[in-house]
Amino acid sequence: MIRFDSDYIEGCIPEILEALTKTNDEQCIGYGKDPHCMHAIKLIQNAINRPDADVHFMVGGTQTNIAVITSILKHHQGAICAESGHINVHETGALESVGHKCLIIPTNDGKITATQVDTLIKAHYEDESAEHIVQPGIVYISFPTESGTLYTKQELTDLYAVCQKHEIPLFIDGARLGYGLTASCNDVTIQDIANLCDVFYIGGTKVGALFGECIVILNPAYKKDFRYSIKQHGGMLAKGRLLGIQFEELFKDNRYLTIAKHAIDMAELLAKGFQDKGYSFYFPAQTNQLFPILDNEKLKELSQEFCFSKWATIDETHTAVRFVTSFATKQENVEKLIKKI
Amino acid sequence: MIRFDSDYIEGCIPEILEALTKTNDEQCIGYGKDPHCMHAIKLIQNAINRPDADVHFMVGGTQTNIAVITSILKHHQGAICAESGHINVHETGALESVGHKCLIIPTNDGKITATQVDTLIKAHYEDESAEHIVQPGIVYISFPTESGTLYTKQELTDLYAVCQKHEIPLFIDGARLGYGLTASCNDVTIQDIANLCDVFYIGGTKVGALFGECIVILNPAYKKDFRYSIKQHGGMLAKGRLLGIQFEELFKDNRYLTIAKHAIDMAELLAKGFQDKGYSFYFPAQTNQLFPILDNEKLKELSQEFCFSKWATIDETHTAVRFVTSFATKQENVEKLIKKI
Amino acid sequence: MIRFDSDYIEGCIPEILEALTKTNDEQCIGYGKDPHCMHAIKLIQNAINRPDADVHFMVGGTQTNIAVITSILKHHQGAICAESGHINVHETGALESVGHKCLIIPTNDGKITATQVDTLIKAHYEDESAEHIVQPGIVYISFPTESGTLYTKQELTDLYAVCQKHEIPLFIDGARLGYGLTASCNDVTIQDIANLCDVFYIGGTKVGALFGECIVILNPAYKKDFRYSIKQHGGMLAKGRLLGIQFEELFKDNRYLTIAKHAIDMAELLAKGFQDKGYSFYFPAQTNQLFPILDNEKLKELSQEFCFSKWATIDETHTAVRFVTSFATKQENVEKLIKKI
Amino acid sequence: MIRFDSDYIEGCIPEILEALTKTNDEQCIGYGKDPHCMHAIKLIQNAINRPDADVHFMVGGTQTNIAVITSILKHHQGAICAESGHINVHETGALESVGHKCLIIPTNDGKITATQVDTLIKAHYEDESAEHIVQPGIVYISFPTESGTLYTKQELTDLYAVCQKHEIPLFIDGARLGYGLTASCNDVTIQDIANLCDVFYIGGTKVGALFGECIVILNPAYKKDFRYSIKQHGGMLAKGRLLGIQFEELFKDNRYLTIAKHAIDMAELLAKGFQDKGYSFYFPAQTNQLFPILDNEKLKELSQEFCFSKWATIDETHTAVRFVTSFATKQENVEKLIKKI
């Protein structure tokens, strides 16, 4: 069985295991105050060219989203997000479990627009019974989205302008950030990201680390007391060094982008394979997640040898599925798959 | 600087890093459904002699406590615990953040008694305005406690009998379980633990793993839907294999107890060092946490070379402090410390 | 200015004020344990022909919804409801504030169907990552809906059958129950309601009382400890007698239905007025809420003399608005309005 | 049976029922925006001599406490209060249910001191692991306390100074405010209250109203968006006029203090009765709650004719009990009781 069902099926880049082994006997203070975390913070501040940024390390995505959003929202506020946003559909209501509603915006491709956000916020304040409705308190987007699509620089710029107009922060979930930054169609740099939002996070789990997400807080208004929020949401790793060491390795020698680019190369190879055979895609093929539409016969056949996910029923005989590549995807496996398409 | 400030200052036992390295290229399904987790579950069921137990792996202690407690409590219920209980004092209100109150019981040594629990529960139901008061819904204890002390088998038996009488579950936080099981004064086995509570967890983070806690659910009433709770509280590690692999290593060849015993040996060596010099202890010296009372001159002097924590002010010239040993503590460092006492 | 903007713009039926005055000097035990509450409970059990029902009185609708839903849901569960459901749109996220997500179903007329509910629940359990998604734990509907529409007896029967098939409770919000039961097109009795759900409530605030809602719990599984939930959500009125006295009056001599019928008569008179002039309605005109579509000139003109609410923009020159009648609506005011249409 | 078990056993002052009757046919906009509320707000701003204050009306005490506290606290913060504080012991964990911990201070008489608060806050920030502990975010006290005792003006001044030093708001629960202001030993005016805290509330339910509490927000920092909080916590009464009308009557002609003074007169008469017979009190007899210590024979005897509450077991033969007077207590009943003491 060859797995293409997600980008967290392999371990990590070998450099990380080497570094963990090399540093194993060091005695480090806990909870992210050790020298490795301090060094990784510097590397990331440099990479985004924002020495003023506050940088924190978390273990996983759900706790990252919750820690950020609850540290910002007041009790009567909610998070604007795409209907398909991870916080809305795939976190078992973690956000609601700590008190906040998702204010959802319909989407076809995982993206929401500046106009949609503007309309929603305006409509809220124009409503005579606004007080009976959850107040928009933050805008949450993913880059890339859960549908594998990307915002252009212009789209991000417009979204952030609307947020700033309404004095509401923009938070970018970058669980797959590397795979967005290195996509061929992408025109956004990591420095752009840092300048076009209030908070974002750099995904490690899906991009080469064993685990780990790196929160970057740009807006000074949201820096105070953030570590309380990390701890309250179970995100403060006792041996915080493990996160520091991993991000040291990921941000050494531009490695984060290099390894992400490999996944993109593999995805583009695979996308071409599908296109050459005349397959169409459910969402635009832009990053490391591909959503080809298969007839159900072919789906069944491929399932014998390859792992991938059903995504949506198209009609009685066709299904959209998801194939995912990663930093660790082997070209020979992609080629084996293409042969069977 | 030699650190004795906690049992999570070093990495992990070398076998874990070797296993992570050896398995790094494997493709595994995510979220704890991989073969390593399945195997580790079997090893743990065997170790506790309870093949019927449900076993789940989590990353850290706070999320473990919250996932267990919220999966059991109804909204109007709270958790009975010692005033010094970890959920009450050192989790930034994580339990309250998801809706539940700690119903605290005073304690001098971190332990609560069957009588105290019985009295609290009876008093609740005898109160005419019981409905205005949070209903006791679970009893939470730690073994060893946050004060480094241990329940005897008789004490545990009595506590569990009271819980069963009142039809309220008993949950044992075993963040340092290994250091309790291997203590010289201990008369409780891991099988006893499994038979004297409804749910408990086996701490990995502080006992040889890089990170990881293992929840064991004995009472069938609390097994259903538990994985939703793991996910909701940010505890479902994408690369769940990392937890499986670590617990495979910890429960191979009785390793969990062997490495814990080392910490106990080191703690007993150190405790003897203090006793020989006439120091007294703030809490009984039973496990890997020692709380000697130092005069402030000595405290200052030792602080030059050793890391440890201030715990409580005794009087103007004396302070209780905490020294902690671990699976990785070096005997030469303990000896250096003893020389300076 | 004549108000048609809601059904809570007047005080109450005069009998209630008389009864409050007559009983004012009585000394009654607090919190709903007084003789008036006991008597009102009997009257309601008789009216619904369910002596086994548990009956509780609350002050307002939001706290009623929250007390019921949280007393039933486990932490990882959410409430299925129409997109337009009151809990989803007009309670400032009260349900989320205590931890639960609304699992919304699209609707054109405020109603959801048995098929929609069945599909949503099946889809949940068929999803491989169900654990990452909030589990459906209760179905919430309103009778009448927020759009003024009614479920037929067959529709309710089907909905309840689906709920029972999936072992998930059905909760009916009856904030305007009286106006549903007495509508001309209605074929559901209050006894039917009691037999076709697990919990429902009988609205008092909008149907003749100063304030007050009456929760009826039919399913024994949800009776235990419910008063804790009332108190926790701020719904336990100190002078609970005030609720008992009001519901005594409402359920004396079939008064609840008599006064509701008056509002329906007024609404039908008004609806006919609109229809006669050729107006169409945004939602079917079934109960005491009417949603005619006005051209904006007429809207402006009517606004000079009458209070009513804008509901939805139809096109550049037309707007759907809401007129509401109540137990206290005066026929002369309806006639004045009809003249101006 | 003559009841002395609480101050909410009778209805209300007759003027309120008359006003409700007189205004019953008025059509008023809902949710507290009607002319009666507007007028009552002015009366209260005048009474406290703070035209800048924001004034809001709520139905009951629990929802009032929760609405205020959650509108102020951030997620990682908790409320400092006396161990006996109402939010800590008699609201079924309402505060925890929306995410916040009570940070309790021990007390013998229901009061906490400036020094205690100062010590707790300082200790928090001096703790190396402050981030692992709930951050103090508000100070909650009751005037009078749940033990019937009063803060002196100096004590309040000191408490508020400590709060301001630490930039943490002071919130005063005035459920029985009238009975504090009119007590013989009291040296605090309602204007003092308004100047010595950030938010307080004026209790109506226990002081002459059918129900109703009036929140007064002095500190501009906490005014914004407060109505969202009222609604989210189920405190926004549809027929808000009912609250406006009641507070209009209570604050007409100094009536609030006049009726409260009656309860105090009755309590002092009763206290003297106990003292003359040589009884001692569990808490100082200062306001309308008296806590005499009875021998159990006498307790049993009095229970035949009078309702009152057991409060605390003193020894095998003695019990502290609670007698409460109110605006409606009849002197003849007090005299009957005194005869039987």
Side-chain angles (χ1 to χ4, degrees):
Chain A
M1 246 354 205
I2 299 172
R3 305 195 79 101
F4 286 100
D5 47 336
S6 81
D7 31 20
Y8 38 86
I9 50 177
E10 290 97 356
C12 64
I13 56 171
E15 292 86 349
I16 282 180
L17 276 166
E18 286 159 22
L20 289 175
T21 304
K22 206 175 102 191
T23 59
N24 192 49
D25 290 341
E26 288 179 13
Q27 289 196 319
C28 286
I29 189 171
Y31 303 119
K33 295 178 169 173
D34 63 278
H36 295 287
C37 284
M38 295 305 116
H39 181 222
I41 288 171
K42 285 265 174 278
L43 290 175
I44 285 161
Q45 288 169 331
N46 287 345
I48 62 172
N49 198 21
R50 287 289 295 264
D52 61 310
D54 268 16
V55 176
H56 301 275
F57 302 109
M58 306 284 287
V59 172
T62 295
Q63 64 191 212
T64 299
N65 286 331
I66 302 316
V68 169
I69 296 174
T70 60
S71 77
I72 289 176
L73 291 187
K74 302 221 57 171
H75 283 274
H76 63 287
Q77 299 180 323
I80 294 177
C81 65
E83 200 174 351
S84 57
H86 204 262
I87 56 170
N88 188 46
V89 289
H90 272 109
E91 302 188 351
T92 323
L95 187 55
E96 289 84 2
S97 85
V98 291
H100 297 289
K101 192 178 188 73
C102 295
L103 303 170
I104 62 177
I105 287 182
T107 174
N108 288 322
D109 58 0
K111 292 159 64 176
I112 56 177
T113 69
T115 307
Q116 284 177 311
V117 171
D118 193 38
T119 303
L120 188 155
I121 299 177
K122 270 196 214 153
H124 177 80
Y125 288 104
E126 283 167 8
D127 195 314
E128 281 173 21
S129 32
E131 302 150 352
H132 297 234
I133 302 170
V134 174
Q135 190 183 69
I138 192 170
V139 176
Y140 164 95
I141 62 170
S142 305
F143 183 93
T145 69
E146 296 75 9
S147 306
T149 53
L150 289 174
Y151 290 88
T152 65
K153 187 168 173 183
Q154 188 59 50
E155 288 169 337
L156 269 188
T157 304
D158 293 347
L159 255 175
Y160 195 42
V162 162
C163 289
Q164 293 192 303
K165 183 179 86 173
H166 292 293
E167 298 184 350
I168 188 174
L170 178 63
F171 167 41
I172 301 178
D173 175 334
R176 294 188 168 97
L177 185 62
Y179 302 135
L181 295 173
T182 55
S184 298
C185 67
N186 175 53
D187 69 347
V188 177
T189 66
I190 197 168
Q191 296 85 358
D192 292 334
I193 295 277
N195 292 326
L196 292 173
C197 71
D198 299 273
V199 186
F200 74 104
Y201 84 82
I202 303 168
T205 300
K206 292 167 177 165
V207 192
L210 289 172
F211 60 89
E213 322 295 325
C214 169
I215 295 174
V216 182
I217 308 180
L218 289 322
N219 187 329
Y222 307 122
K223 292 178 178 177
K224 188 159 179 289
D225 289 343
F226 188 72
R227 282 174 57 85
Y228 286 86
S229 190
I230 297 178
K231 177 64 189 168
Q232 186 175 67
H233 301 294
M236 194 170 280
L237 194 63
K239 296 178 182 173
R241 66 200 276 162
L242 303 176
L243 292 163
I245 290 164
Q246 292 186 85
F247 277 93
E248 280 183 311
E249 292 306 314
L250 287 177
F251 278 81
K252 214 174 259 177
D253 310 327
N254 205 30
R255 207 177 272 150
Y256 187 70
L257 296 184
T258 313
I259 62 174
K261 186 64 170 60
H262 171 75
I264 291 298
D265 290 344
M266 294 301 100
E268 291 181 352
L269 183 62
L270 182 54
K272 191 167 175 302
F274 279 110
Q275 281 153 346
D276 287 352
K277 302 273 171 67
Y279 286 88
S280 65
F281 290 91
Y282 189 60
F283 299 121
Q286 298 189 338
T287 59
N288 73 317
Q289 298 185 78
L290 300 176
F291 300 85
I293 296 170
L294 304 185
D295 64 78
N296 295 344
E297 285 299 307
K298 176 56 80 177
L299 189 160
K300 211 170 162 186
E301 185 196 322
L302 290 179
S303 300
Q304 316 269 308
E305 283 180 75
F306 303 94
C307 274
F308 52 95
S309 322
K310 289 185 197 179
W311 206 257
T313 299
I314 301 301
D315 58 33
E316 278 184 26
T317 56
H318 290 82
T319 303
V321 300
R322 186 181 74 156
F323 286 88
V324 190
T325 63
S326 81
F327 66 96
T329 300
K330 291 185 181 148
Q331 184 159 345
E332 63 189 79
N333 286 342
V334 176
E335 284 162 356
K336 270 187 207 160
L337 171 55
I338 291 175
K339 268 194 206 134
K340 295 296 173 74
I341 298 175
Chain B
M1 249 351 208
I2 299 172
R3 305 195 79 101
F4 286 99
D5 46 336
S6 81
D7 32 20
Y8 37 87
I9 51 178
E10 290 97 357
C12 64
I13 57 171
E15 293 85 351
I16 282 180
L17 277 165
E18 285 159 22
L20 289 175
T21 304
K22 207 175 103 191
T23 60
N24 191 48
D25 291 339
E26 290 179 13
Q27 289 196 319
C28 287
I29 190 171
Y31 303 118
K33 295 177 168 174
D34 62 279
H36 295 288
C37 284
M38 295 303 116
H39 181 222
I41 289 171
K42 285 265 175 279
L43 290 175
I44 285 161
Q45 288 169 332
N46 287 345
I48 63 172
N49 198 23
R50 286 289 294 265
D52 61 308
D54 269 16
V55 176
H56 302 275
F57 302 110
M58 307 284 287
V59 173
T62 295
Q63 64 191 211
T64 300
N65 286 332
I66 302 316
V68 169
I69 296 174
T70 60
S71 77
I72 290 176
L73 291 188
K74 303 221 54 172
H75 283 273
H76 62 289
Q77 298 179 322
I80 295 177
C81 66
E83 199 174 352
S84 57
H86 204 261
I87 56 170
N88 188 46
V89 290
H90 273 107
E91 302 187 352
T92 323
L95 187 55
E96 289 83 2
S97 85
V98 291
H100 298 289
K101 192 178 187 71
C102 294
L103 303 170
I104 61 177
I105 287 181
T107 175
N108 287 321
D109 59 0
K111 293 160 63 177
I112 57 177
T113 69
T115 306
Q116 284 177 310
V117 171
D118 194 38
T119 303
L120 187 155
I121 299 178
K122 271 195 212 154
H124 177 81
Y125 288 104
E126 284 167 8
D127 195 315
E128 283 173 19
S129 32
E131 303 150 351
H132 297 234
I133 302 171
V134 174
Q135 190 182 70
I138 192 170
V139 176
Y140 164 96
I141 61 170
S142 306
F143 184 93
T145 68
E146 296 76 8
S147 306
T149 54
L150 289 173
Y151 290 88
T152 65
K153 187 168 173 183
Q154 189 58 51
E155 288 169 337
L156 268 188
T157 305
D158 294 346
L159 256 174
Y160 194 43
V162 161
C163 289
Q164 293 193 304
K165 184 179 85 174
H166 292 293
E167 298 184 353
I168 188 174
L170 178 62
F171 167 41
I172 302 178
D173 174 334
R176 293 188 169 97
L177 186 61
Y179 302 135
L181 296 173
T182 56
S184 299
C185 66
N186 175 54
D187 68 347
V188 178
T189 67
I190 197 168
Q191 297 84 0
D192 293 333
I193 295 278
N195 292 326
L196 292 173
C197 71
D198 298 273
V199 186
F200 74 103
Y201 84 82
I202 303 168
T205 301
K206 292 168 177 164
V207 192
L210 289 172
F211 60 90
E213 322 296 324
C214 169
I215 295 174
V216 182
I217 308 181
L218 289 322
N219 188 330
Y222 307 121
K223 292 178 178 177
K224 188 160 179 290
D225 290 343
F226 188 72
R227 282 173 56 86
Y228 287 85
S229 191
I230 296 178
K231 177 63 188 167
Q232 186 175 66
H233 301 294
M236 194 169 279
L237 194 63
K239 297 179 182 173
R241 68 201 276 164
L242 303 177
L243 292 163
I245 290 165
Q246 291 186 85
F247 277 93
E248 280 183 311
E249 293 305 315
L250 287 177
F251 277 82
K252 212 174 261 176
D253 310 328
N254 205 30
R255 208 177 272 151
Y256 186 70
L257 296 183
T258 313
I259 62 174
K261 186 63 170 60
H262 171 75
I264 291 298
D265 290 344
M266 294 301 99
E268 291 181 352
L269 183 62
L270 181 54
K272 191 165 174 305
F274 279 110
Q275 282 153 346
D276 288 351
K277 302 272 171 69
Y279 286 88
S280 64
F281 290 90
Y282 189 61
F283 299 121
Q286 299 188 339
T287 58
N288 73 319
Q289 298 186 80
L290 301 177
F291 300 83
I293 296 170
L294 305 184
D295 64 80
N296 295 345
E297 286 298 306
K298 177 55 81 178
L299 190 160
K300 211 168 162 186
E301 186 196 320
L302 290 178
S303 301
Q304 316 269 311
E305 283 180 75
F306 303 95
C307 274
F308 53 94
S309 322
K310 288 185 196 178
W311 206 257
T313 299
I314 302 301
D315 59 33
E316 278 184 27
T317 57
H318 291 81
T319 303
V321 300
R322 186 180 74 157
F323 286 87
V324 190
T325 64
S326 81
F327 67 97
T329 301
K330 290 184 182 149
Q331 184 158 345
E332 62 190 80
N333 285 341
V334 177
E335 285 163 355
K336 269 186 207 160
L337 171 56
I338 291 175
K339 266 191 207 139
K340 295 294 171 77
I341 297 174
Chain C
M1 248 351 209
I2 300 172
R3 305 195 80 102
F4 286 99
D5 46 336
S6 81
D7 31 20
Y8 37 87
I9 51 177
E10 291 97 357
C12 64
I13 56 171
E15 293 86 350
I16 282 179
L17 276 165
E18 286 158 23
L20 289 176
T21 304
K22 207 175 103 190
T23 59
N24 192 48
D25 291 340
E26 289 180 12
Q27 289 197 319
C28 287
I29 190 171
Y31 303 119
K33 295 177 168 173
D34 62 278
H36 295 287
C37 285
M38 295 304 115
H39 181 222
I41 289 172
K42 286 265 175 277
L43 291 175
I44 285 161
Q45 288 169 332
N46 288 345
I48 62 172
N49 198 21
R50 286 289 295 265
D52 61 308
D54 268 17
V55 176
H56 301 275
F57 302 109
M58 306 284 287
V59 173
T62 295
Q63 63 191 211
T64 300
N65 286 332
I66 301 316
V68 169
I69 296 174
T70 60
S71 77
I72 289 176
L73 292 188
K74 303 221 57 172
H75 283 274
H76 63 288
Q77 298 179 324
I80 294 178
C81 66
E83 200 175 351
S84 57
H86 205 261
I87 55 170
N88 189 45
V89 290
H90 272 108
E91 303 188 353
T92 323
L95 187 56
E96 290 83 2
S97 85
V98 290
H100 298 288
K101 192 179 188 73
C102 295
L103 302 171
I104 62 177
I105 287 182
T107 176
N108 288 322
D109 59 0
K111 292 160 63 177
I112 58 177
T113 69
T115 307
Q116 284 178 310
V117 170
D118 194 39
T119 303
L120 187 155
I121 299 178
K122 271 196 212 152
H124 177 82
Y125 288 104
E126 283 167 8
D127 195 314
E128 282 174 19
S129 32
E131 302 150 352
H132 297 235
I133 302 171
V134 174
Q135 190 183 70
I138 193 170
V139 176
Y140 164 96
I141 62 170
S142 305
F143 182 92
T145 68
E146 296 75 8
S147 306
T149 54
L150 289 173
Y151 290 89
T152 65
K153 186 167 174 184
Q154 189 58 52
E155 288 169 338
L156 269 188
T157 305
D158 293 347
L159 255 175
Y160 195 42
V162 161
C163 289
Q164 293 193 304
K165 184 179 86 173
H166 291 294
E167 298 184 352
I168 188 174
L170 179 62
F171 168 41
I172 302 178
D173 175 335
R176 294 188 168 97
L177 185 62
Y179 302 135
L181 295 173
T182 55
S184 300
C185 67
N186 175 52
D187 69 347
V188 177
T189 65
I190 197 167
Q191 295 85 0
D192 293 334
I193 294 278
N195 293 326
L196 292 173
C197 70
D198 298 273
V199 186
F200 74 103
Y201 84 83
I202 303 168
T205 300
K206 292 168 177 164
V207 193
L210 289 172
F211 59 90
E213 322 296 324
C214 169
I215 295 174
V216 182
I217 307 180
L218 290 323
N219 188 329
Y222 308 120
K223 291 179 177 176
K224 188 161 179 289
D225 290 343
F226 187 72
R227 283 174 55 86
Y228 286 86
S229 191
I230 296 178
K231 177 64 188 168
Q232 186 174 67
H233 301 294
M236 193 169 281
L237 194 62
K239 298 178 182 174
R241 67 200 276 163
L242 303 177
L243 293 163
I245 290 165
Q246 292 186 84
F247 277 94
E248 280 182 312
E249 293 306 314
L250 287 178
F251 278 82
K252 213 175 260 176
D253 309 329
N254 206 31
R255 207 176 273 151
Y256 187 70
L257 296 184
T258 313
I259 62 174
K261 185 65 170 59
H262 170 75
I264 291 298
D265 290 344
M266 293 301 100
E268 290 180 353
L269 183 62
L270 182 55
K272 192 167 174 303
F274 279 110
Q275 281 153 347
D276 287 351
K277 302 272 171 69
Y279 287 88
S280 64
F281 290 91
Y282 189 61
F283 300 120
Q286 299 188 338
T287 58
N288 72 319
Q289 298 186 80
L290 301 177
F291 300 84
I293 296 170
L294 305 184
D295 65 78
N296 295 344
E297 286 297 308
K298 177 55 82 178
L299 190 159
K300 212 171 160 183
E301 185 195 322
L302 290 178
S303 300
Q304 316 270 309
E305 283 180 73
F306 303 94
C307 274
F308 52 95
S309 321
K310 290 186 195 178
W311 206 257
T313 299
I314 302 301
D315 59 32
E316 277 183 28
T317 56
H318 291 81
T319 304
V321 300
R322 186 181 76 156
F323 286 87
V324 189
T325 64
S326 81
F327 66 97
T329 301
K330 292 185 180 145
Q331 184 159 344
E332 63 191 77
N333 286 341
V334 176
E335 285 162 356
K336 270 187 206 161
L337 171 57
I338 291 174
K339 266 191 207 138
K340 296 295 172 77
I341 297 173
Chain D
M1 241 7 196
I2 300 172
R3 305 195 80 102
F4 286 99
D5 46 336
S6 81
D7 31 20
Y8 39 86
I9 51 177
E10 292 96 356
C12 65
I13 56 170
E15 292 85 351
I16 282 181
L17 277 166
E18 287 159 21
L20 288 176
T21 304
K22 206 175 102 191
T23 58
N24 191 47
D25 291 340
E26 290 180 12
Q27 289 196 320
C28 288
I29 190 171
Y31 301 119
K33 295 177 169 174
D34 62 278
H36 295 288
C37 284
M38 294 305 117
H39 181 221
I41 289 170
K42 285 266 176 278
L43 290 175
I44 285 160
Q45 288 169 332
N46 288 344
I48 62 171
N49 198 22
R50 287 288 296 264
D52 61 308
D54 269 16
V55 175
H56 302 275
F57 301 109
M58 308 283 287
V59 173
T62 295
Q63 64 190 211
T64 300
N65 286 332
I66 303 315
V68 169
I69 297 174
T70 60
S71 77
I72 290 176
L73 292 187
K74 303 221 55 171
H75 283 275
H76 63 288
Q77 298 180 323
I80 295 177
C81 66
E83 200 174 350
S84 57
H86 204 262
I87 56 170
N88 188 46
V89 289
H90 273 109
E91 302 188 352
T92 322
L95 187 56
E96 289 83 1
S97 86
V98 291
H100 298 288
K101 192 179 188 72
C102 294
L103 304 171
I104 61 177
I105 287 181
T107 174
N108 288 322
D109 58 1
K111 292 159 64 177
I112 56 177
T113 68
T115 307
Q116 284 178 312
V117 171
D118 193 40
T119 303
L120 188 155
I121 299 177
K122 271 195 213 154
H124 177 80
Y125 288 104
E126 283 167 8
D127 195 314
E128 282 174 19
S129 33
E131 303 150 351
H132 298 235
I133 302 171
V134 174
Q135 190 183 69
I138 192 170
V139 176
Y140 164 96
I141 62 170
S142 305
F143 183 93
T145 69
E146 296 74 9
S147 307
T149 53
L150 290 173
Y151 290 88
T152 65
K153 187 166 174 186
Q154 188 59 50
E155 288 169 338
L156 269 188
T157 305
D158 293 347
L159 256 174
Y160 195 42
V162 161
C163 289
Q164 294 193 303
K165 183 179 85 173
H166 292 293
E167 298 184 351
I168 188 174
L170 178 62
F171 167 41
I172 301 178
D173 175 333
R176 294 188 168 97
L177 185 62
Y179 302 135
L181 295 173
T182 55
S184 299
C185 68
N186 175 53
D187 69 347
V188 177
T189 66
I190 198 168
Q191 296 84 358
D192 292 334
I193 295 278
N195 292 326
L196 292 173
C197 71
D198 298 272
V199 186
F200 73 103
Y201 83 83
I202 302 168
T205 300
K206 292 168 178 162
V207 193
L210 289 172
F211 60 88
E213 321 297 324
C214 168
I215 295 174
V216 182
I217 309 180
L218 289 322
N219 187 329
Y222 307 121
K223 293 179 178 176
K224 188 160 179 289
D225 289 343
F226 187 72
R227 282 174 55 87
Y228 286 85
S229 191
I230 295 178
K231 177 65 188 166
Q232 186 175 67
H233 301 294
M236 194 169 280
L237 194 64
K239 298 179 181 173
R241 67 200 275 161
L242 304 176
L243 292 163
I245 291 164
Q246 292 186 85
F247 277 94
E248 279 182 312
E249 292 306 314
L250 287 177
F251 278 82
K252 212 174 262 178
D253 309 328
N254 205 31
R255 208 177 272 151
Y256 187 69
L257 296 184
T258 312
I259 62 173
K261 186 63 171 59
H262 171 75
I264 292 298
D265 290 343
M266 294 301 100
E268 291 181 352
L269 183 62
L270 181 54
K272 192 165 173 305
F274 279 110
Q275 282 153 346
D276 287 351
K277 303 272 171 69
Y279 286 88
S280 64
F281 291 90
Y282 190 61
F283 298 121
Q286 299 188 337
T287 58
N288 72 319
Q289 299 186 79
L290 301 176
F291 300 85
I293 296 171
L294 305 184
D295 64 80
N296 294 345
E297 286 298 306
K298 177 56 79 177
L299 189 161
K300 212 170 161 184
E301 187 196 320
L302 290 178
S303 300
Q304 315 270 310
E305 283 181 72
F306 303 94
C307 273
F308 52 94
S309 321
K310 289 187 196 175
W311 206 257
T313 300
I314 302 300
D315 58 34
E316 278 184 26
T317 56
H318 291 81
T319 304
V321 300
R322 186 182 75 157
F323 287 86
V324 189
T325 63
S326 81
F327 65 97
T329 300
K330 292 186 183 147
Q331 183 158 344
E332 62 190 80
N333 286 340
V334 176
E335 285 162 356
K336 269 186 208 160
L337 171 55
I338 291 176
K339 267 189 209 139
K340 297 294 172 77
I341 296 175

